Amino acid sequence: MRVVVVTGASSGIGRATAIRLGRAGFTVVLAARRADELRKAADQIGTAVAVPTDVRDPAAIEALVARALEVNGRIDGLVNNAGVGGKSSILADDDVVTQMIDVNLLAPIRLMRAVVPTMLSQGAGSIVNIGSVAGEIGLGGTYSATKFALRGMTDSVRRELRGTGIGVTLIEPGFIDTGFNNRKNLPGPEIVAAAVESALRRPRRRMVVPVKYRAAITVANGLPFLTDRLYAGRAAKR
């Protein structure tokens, strides 16, 4: 019985991921702030444990990991999915900036720190961090900054843990239909959930979902002046 912790599991990518993993035979520990939605998600899965959690609170993170260990004494996977967006401009209010940093960056770091000792003792485990294409192309203000930082942290942790049996994967979604996006004809969160399951079973360095965004990342990294021109004065309005 493989135990996987999924944060942000009450909706969107996190919920789709939790449901997919549950159907694939994993025991899923669901974490999110909205207790009612979390229980509804757990009811859809069956082999699930719902743990209402505010990932901004270090004590809540410790309690979440302790509850996960109660299942069978193991933590086989961690999916750091919880995330928040906000105003892209440098003029965003301080509370918006602080919340994005707390949820998008500090929480994944604290969660990794909380599960790695157990995974080291097991000699196995898999960590999947949900980044963003915005972590490769700076268009989202503080949101992009947190995802750039998460990318760097993921690279560092993967190298630190090389040879221990613990895999560390960064998944970078582009625009996904999670119910909060006005764009049309977007892929649903299931495409990311499929990538998460694949990464848990066979860790990789990075997965971009959908793959079409790889071209945009290559152009932005190779020809940054072109990206500057394309989005001059428009980046904060996206």
Side-chain angles (χ1 to χ4, degrees), residues 14-15 21 29 48 59-60 80 91 96 134 169-170 179 181-182 188 194 203 212 227:
R15 187 173 187 144
L21 295 179
V29 179
N80 275 315
L91 302 178
V96 174
T169 302
L170 177 68
N181 201 312
N182 293 325
K212 67 179 183 180
T227 307

Side-chain angles (χ1 to χ4, degrees), residues 9 23 34 43 47 49 67 103 118 127 137 139 153 159 177 180-181 191 195 226 232 234-235:
R23 290 173 178 171
R34 295 182 295 171
D43 289 343
T47 54
V49 178
R67 180 66 184 90
V103 175
T118 294
I127 296 169
I137 306 172
L139 297 173
M153 190 66 191
R159 292 160 186 160
D177 183 5
F180 300 100
N181 201 312
I191 191 173
L226 180 59
R234 295 193 292 143

Side-chain angles (χ1 to χ4, degrees), residues 114-192:
V115 304
V116 162
T118 294
M119 291 182 176
L120 285 172
S121 68
Q122 296 166 177
S126 184
I127 296 169
V128 178
N129 291 331
I130 305 300
S132 172
V133 170
E136 299 272 0
I137 306 172
L139 297 173
T142 302
Y143 179 79
S144 276
T146 61
K147 296 301 184 178
F148 267 78
L150 182 62
R151 175 160 61 92
M153 190 66 191
T154 303
D155 283 347
S156 177
V157 174
R158 185 181 62 255
R159 292 160 186 160
E160 177 184 348
L161 298 178
R162 183 177 176 84
T164 65
I166 303 172
V168 183
T169 302
L170 177 68
I171 295 179
E172 297 182 313
F175 289 111
I176 302 294
D177 183 5
T178 57
F180 300 100
N181 201 312
N182 293 325
R183 293 171 177 261
K184 297 180 179 180
N185 302 317
L186 295 177
E190 293 77 16
I191 191 173
V192 185

Side-chain angles (χ1 to χ4, degrees), residues 10-216:
S10 62
S11 63
I13 291 171
R15 187 173 187 144
T17 296
I19 291 171
R20 183 183 181 97
L21 295 179
R23 290 173 178 171
F26 293 86
T27 297
V28 189
V29 179
L30 295 79
R33 285 187 298 167
R34 295 182 295 171
D36 290 344
E37 292 300 318
L38 208 59
R39 280 190 287 270
K40 291 177 184 176
D43 289 343
Q44 287 184 266
I45 299 169
T47 54
V49 178
V51 185
T53 306
D54 185 344
V55 295
R56 296 172 297 180
D57 181 359
I61 287 175
E62 294 296 333
L64 168 65
V65 172
R67 180 66 184 90
L69 284 169
E70 289 176 1
V71 176
N72 67 357
R74 295 180 59 88
I75 296 179
D76 299 286
L78 167 66
V79 182
N80 275 315
N81 166 75
V84 295
K87 189 176 181 180
S88 299
S89 171
I90 188 61
L91 302 178
D93 292 340
D94 191 70
D95 59 341
V96 174
V97 171
T98 300
Q99 183 183 40
M100 281 191 277
I101 293 172
D102 285 348
V103 175
N104 299 354
L105 181 58
L106 285 178
I109 291 172
R110 287 168 174 155
L111 278 153
M112 286 189 286
R113 191 170 60 196
V115 304
V116 162
T118 294
M119 291 182 176
L120 285 172
S121 68
Q122 296 166 177
S126 184
I127 296 169
V128 178
N129 291 331
I130 305 300
S132 172
V133 170
E136 299 272 0
I137 306 172
L139 297 173
T142 302
Y143 179 79
S144 276
T146 61
K147 296 301 184 178
F148 267 78
L150 182 62
R151 175 160 61 92
M153 190 66 191
T154 303
D155 283 347
S156 177
V157 174
R158 185 181 62 255
R159 292 160 186 160
E160 177 184 348
L161 298 178
R162 183 177 176 84
T164 65
I166 303 172
V168 183
T169 302
L170 177 68
I171 295 179
E172 297 182 313
F175 289 111
I176 302 294
D177 183 5
T178 57
F180 300 100
N181 201 312
N182 293 325
R183 293 171 177 261
K184 297 180 179 180
N185 302 317
L186 295 177
E190 293 77 16
I191 191 173
V192 185
V196 171
E197 183 186 356
S198 177
L200 287 170
R201 296 186 185 279
R202 185 172 72 84
R204 271 146 281 184
R205 186 180 71 81
R206 181 184 68 163
M207 301 172 71
V208 178
V209 185
V211 294
K212 67 179 183 180
Y213 287 100
R214 289 179 182 172

